[in-house]
Amino acid sequence: LQTGRELLPASAVDVQTDGTWVYFVDAATVQAVPLSCVDTASCPTSAVRLGDSVAPQSLMDVSGTTLVYTAGGGYGGGGEIRALDLTCLANPATCTPRPLLSNAASGAVAPNGAYVVVEGGGTLNSLRVADGQLSYLSDSNGGLLAKARWSS
């Protein structure tokens, strides 16, 4: 970065890294670039598309090998929570998001990547990524999702 090389588009939001890849949302698309692209000045052409139709004003979060985002209309607008197993980046052509839950919005992913906080239907829940099992946390009027955090 000291050389002035472009890593991400200026319009990138929800930028996160795991130390090997940088994940971001740009133009309603979840993308990733390997940090190694900085050495070769190839970041603009190294982006891997991981998911589409990111809901406006929603959160994309990464933890462990799990990336979760809300597609579609977001909370109250028919949003669909989608997850991606980031081990697919060994062969990016295999990276396909898996739908987890409809009519909800996703929040923070647990540190181990196994759970995500979700809000929908007037409740805040923990969603197990492996099988979609919901565990009730609290009633919610739509304002708790942004405040929900996992303790470590």
Side-chain angles (χ1 to χ4, degrees), residues 10-135:
S11 53
V13 295
D14 284 342
V15 179
Q16 298 180 46
T17 185
D18 60 11
T20 303
W21 289 82
V22 177
Y23 309 95
F24 62 98
V25 175
D26 187 40
T29 303
V30 178
Q31 300 179 51
V33 293
L35 280 172
S36 60
C37 70
V38 173
D39 295 334
T40 59
S42 63
C43 296
T45 60
S46 297
V48 175
R49 184 180 220 119
L50 300 176
D52 294 312
S53 305
V54 176
Q57 300 177 348
S58 65
L59 173 72
M60 181 270 303
D61 197 28
V62 177
S63 193
T65 60
T66 304
L67 181 150
V68 177
Y69 70 98
T70 304
Y75 181 69
E80 177 182 73
I81 298 173
R82 297 179 183 171
L84 190 71
D85 180 349
L86 295 172
T87 59
C88 72
L89 288 169
N91 181 8
T94 65
C95 292
T96 304
R98 180 173 51 96
L100 295 179
L101 184 66
S102 296
N103 297 314
S106 62
V109 178
N112 64 3
Y115 296 87
V116 61
V117 176
V118 299
E119 189 172 46
T123 63
L124 190 70
N125 296 278
S126 170
L127 174 75
R128 188 164 49 199
V129 174
D131 60 10
Q133 180 181 339
L134 286 172
S135 296

Side-chain angles (χ1 to χ4, degrees), residues 59 107 119 124 142-149:
L59 173 72
E119 189 172 46
L124 190 70
L144 291 179
L145 186 61
K147 298 174 185 173
R149 299 286 179 261

